[in-house]
Amino acid sequence: MNEHRFDGKGKVYANFRPAYPEEFINYLYASVGLTVHSAVADIGAGTGILTGQLLQKGSRVIAVEPNDDMRKIAENQLHKFTNFTCVKATAENTGLPAGSVDFITVAQAFHWFDPEAFRKECRRILKPGGKVILVWNNRDETAALIKANKAINQKYCKNFKGFSGGLKQNGENDSVSKFFGGKMETRVFQNPLYFDEQSFIGRNLSSSYAPKETDEVFNDYVRELKALFAEYSENGLLTMPNFTESYVGTL
């Protein structure tokens, strides 16, 4: 995992990345087995979006994040929770004690990991019977808005490989299936997102591949995003077709 991939993105990430729907969080506690007594390692925790949602449910959460910019924001926002711990470490080498956590969560980050090394680390730190939960907020790539947004990214973002790191959607992700050995529970939750112009642009700029203000193409990129917003918004509000997809399994 490249710990510098999101350097300088922490603030825009925290401000404009969406949380996960209440239906998904409730599913974790009603069906997957999380409780207020669970110890959870949220790996690749970023600015702590999912971390915070789990803390609010009462679980003890250790946020593992290598990027200083992202981790400091998580620490600043979540330090009030007594059940919160944050460590600087990678997914492949968390430094957590063996057999110390009941669940591992990975939100919007698995595609940055070395899956074989991460699997080995999961097996090391999980208690017997512990589960891994992978989750993404995914755009509906069949929608005209998303297709147009993708075309803009392809034009201006040299490292763009596709949304969510180029993952296949709708349960067809070979790397996830291989990680779990094909034995996993997949769930999809509708999670449409709503943006004004500023938050729509901010959501795009929060991506690792998006140009920074110092890049030559930055102004042109923002200009085309503004035009896209104007085309698809109604009364100053744009609806982005989006769903939350989760995978749960044991290793």
Side-chain angles (χ1 to χ4, degrees):
M1 182 178 181
N2 182 352
E3 66 182 84
H4 300 293
R5 191 184 303 274
F6 283 92
D7 281 356
K9 296 279 187 178
K11 185 176 180 180
V12 70
Y13 196 105
N15 287 339
F16 298 114
R17 283 292 179 116
Y20 297 89
E22 184 177 355
E23 186 183 3
F24 165 68
I25 302 297
N26 290 341
Y27 156 72
L28 295 183
Y29 285 84
S31 300
V32 176
L34 275 76
T35 72
V36 295
H37 304 293
S38 298
V40 183
D42 188 23
I43 299 182
T47 60
I49 294 172
L50 179 60
T51 308
Q53 292 181 271
L54 300 178
L55 290 169
Q56 289 172 356
K57 296 289 283 188
S59 297
R60 181 166 65 88
V61 187
I62 306 106
V64 178
E65 173 55 47
N67 183 273
D68 292 338
D69 188 24
M70 308 277 273
R71 190 182 63 259
K72 288 175 182 176
I73 289 175
E75 291 172 341
N76 289 337
Q77 292 184 338
L78 302 173
H79 67 89
K80 64 182 180 291
F81 289 97
T82 58
N83 48 335
F84 170 64
T85 307
C86 194
V87 297
K88 178 178 181 176
T90 65
E92 299 82 3
N93 185 19
T94 65
L96 300 181
S100 61
V101 298
D102 302 292
F103 297 92
I104 291 170
T105 56
V106 182
Q108 217 77 22
F110 175 76
H111 48 284
W112 302 125
F113 300 170
D114 177 327
E116 291 297 327
F118 177 55
R119 182 192 292 110
K120 183 178 179 180
E121 182 69 348
C122 288
R123 287 174 171 166
R124 188 186 70 80
I125 67 175
L126 278 171
K127 297 177 183 178
K131 296 178 181 178
V132 179
I133 301 155
L134 310 181
V135 62
W136 283 268
N137 274 317
N138 285 325
R139 298 165 179 84
D140 179 356
E141 296 197 36
T142 65
L145 164 65
I146 307 304
K147 290 179 180 179
N149 201 163
K150 185 175 183 178
I152 293 172
N153 288 340
Q154 288 171 329
K155 181 177 179 180
Y156 291 105
C157 308
K158 62 181 180 181
N159 294 320
F160 180 71
K161 297 178 181 178
F163 296 118
S164 295
L167 287 173
K168 294 180 181 179
Q169 295 186 359
N170 301 319
E172 299 175 351
N173 186 344
D174 294 338
S175 63
V176 171
S177 181
K178 183 178 179 181
F179 176 76
F180 285 114
K183 298 178 181 179
M184 60 197 180
E185 178 175 280
T186 303
R187 293 286 298 269
V188 177
F189 308 88
Q190 293 303 311
N191 189 23
L193 306 177
Y194 305 96
F195 298 100
D196 60 16
E197 183 185 75
Q198 180 185 11
S199 58
F200 175 67
I201 293 169
R203 172 62 187 89
N204 278 274
L205 292 176
S206 74
S207 297
S208 62
Y209 50 74
K212 299 178 182 179
E213 288 189 43
T214 52
D215 293 331
E216 185 178 350
V217 300
F218 179 84
N219 290 332
D220 289 336
Y221 181 60
V222 171
R223 176 178 50 77
E224 292 209 20
L225 289 176
K226 286 183 176 181
L228 183 64
F229 178 87
E231 181 179 356
Y232 283 91
S233 61
E234 294 185 10
N235 299 319
L237 191 68
L238 181 147
T239 302
M240 178 181 287
N242 183 81
F243 58 90
T244 297
E245 187 164 8
S246 71
Y247 304 83
V248 178
T250 57
L251 301 176

